[in-house]
Amino acid sequence: MAPSFDNETSLFNFVVRDGYGVKGIVDSGISTVPRAYIQPPAEQINKSNATICEIPPIDLSKLDGPDHDRVVNQIVRAAETLGFFQVVNHGVPLELLESLKQTAHNFFGLPAERKAVYRKEVSPSPLVKYGTSFVPEKERALEWKDYISMAYTNDDEALQQWPAECRGDALQYLKTSHQMVTKLLEALMRNLGVELDDSKIDAFIGKKMVNMNFYPTCPSPELTVGVGRHSDMGTLTILLQDGIGGLYVKVPEDADMENKGEWVEIPPIPGALVINVGDMLQVWSNGRYKSAEHRVRTTSTKSRVSIPIFVSPQATQRIAPFPQVIEKDGVARYKEFVFSDYMNSFFGNAHDGKKSLEFAKIN
Ligand code: OGA
Ligand code: NI
């Protein structure tokens, strides 16, 4: 039966409740953007004036050689300025990266009924959630994006509960990136005067989630966003993007670099992974590391996929700026809180730039 989008409720029911997603609307053959997806002018993305971030990717293989200190400096400097950088020779096999992108296309190419079984209300697994937009119930305008989210507890549960179409690749991705994640974190922590021994690993990166994002083609990309302005809530995000482009980062106003306050595009680089600082690293570092605001544009020509791994502390973890950093800075900029409370606040509100961090701020 052809869907009817004659009012907002029928559209919402089709896309969100019945699990057709944005892909379902596009496949139905629409030629204009439904009103629910039209962003307020201030959120619309003007492609023509974007600067491309030309900073070369960091070669992580050099962390083990004579250039160790120089590479650590590159990582620290990137975290302190833009909060975003790209890495190559990261230890994740390049064939796996190719396979992951294909797997994401295959998954979202499944009939809607096969994906809809993982909607949060009905998912057979608490680890798996398929959805669309970020928090559709709360958003003024919906995001032009569908996703599947797979939380990691252990290998057995992942292999039993994650969707059969994605589990192999997603688990490999998680495992082969682990060493890189610990090395990056080790460098960032040591620079703050904190040694990352095994007892602290769970406190910093005890929880991981692999997502697959699907951004269908859009008839009028200038009216919509793939993801609205936000920062990521956890420790670090590892992101595989395909060759389509459209990921933008806002250069922090207080960054010691060019283009302050402007949006720059993180260009696709074959074989590279994008790394970004999450809110928790900003808190632990008392604001020294930047959890940068970012967003994604849509395109009319080809659907885009991206595959992030969100690395976070465990839900029960207490979070606060490190004492040695506060001592140096002379002031604590963030309060102490439990990570699960931060998560509830994060997922309880629509994306709104860096507002998520207000929860932790001491004014
Ligand atoms: C995210 C995100 C960027 C992208 O999922 O949090 O920012 O390129 N994704 O898809
Ligand atoms: Ni993000």
Side-chain angles (χ1 to χ4, degrees), residues 246-309:
L247 170 60
Y248 293 89
V249 182
K250 191 173 190 176
V251 184
E253 298 283 356
D254 58 349
D256 172 20
M257 64 187 293
E258 278 179 59
N259 305 318
K260 283 195 243 310
E262 280 178 38
W263 290 95
V264 298
E265 182 165 7
I266 302 294
I269 299 177
L273 288 166
V274 178
I275 311 289
N276 66 286
V277 170
D279 291 350
M280 292 311 104
L281 263 181
Q282 177 159 335
V283 172
W284 283 318
S285 69
N286 205 29
R288 199 174 298 184
Y289 297 146
K290 303 291 189 297
S291 167
E293 188 170 341
H294 54 286
R295 64 183 185 184
V296 175
R297 115 172 103 71
T298 59
T299 57
S300 57
T301 49
K302 259 182 141 179
S303 51
R304 173 177 186 266
V305 293
S306 74
I307 303 139
I309 300 179

Side-chain angles (χ1 to χ4, degrees), residues 84 213 227-228 230-233 237 239 247 276 292 294-296 308 310 346 351:
F84 261 77
N213 295 323
V227 185
H230 71 286
S231 56
D232 294 349
M233 69 170 181
T237 303
L239 180 97
L247 170 60
N276 66 286
H294 54 286
R295 64 183 185 184
V296 175
F310 296 107
F346 189 86
H351 282 146

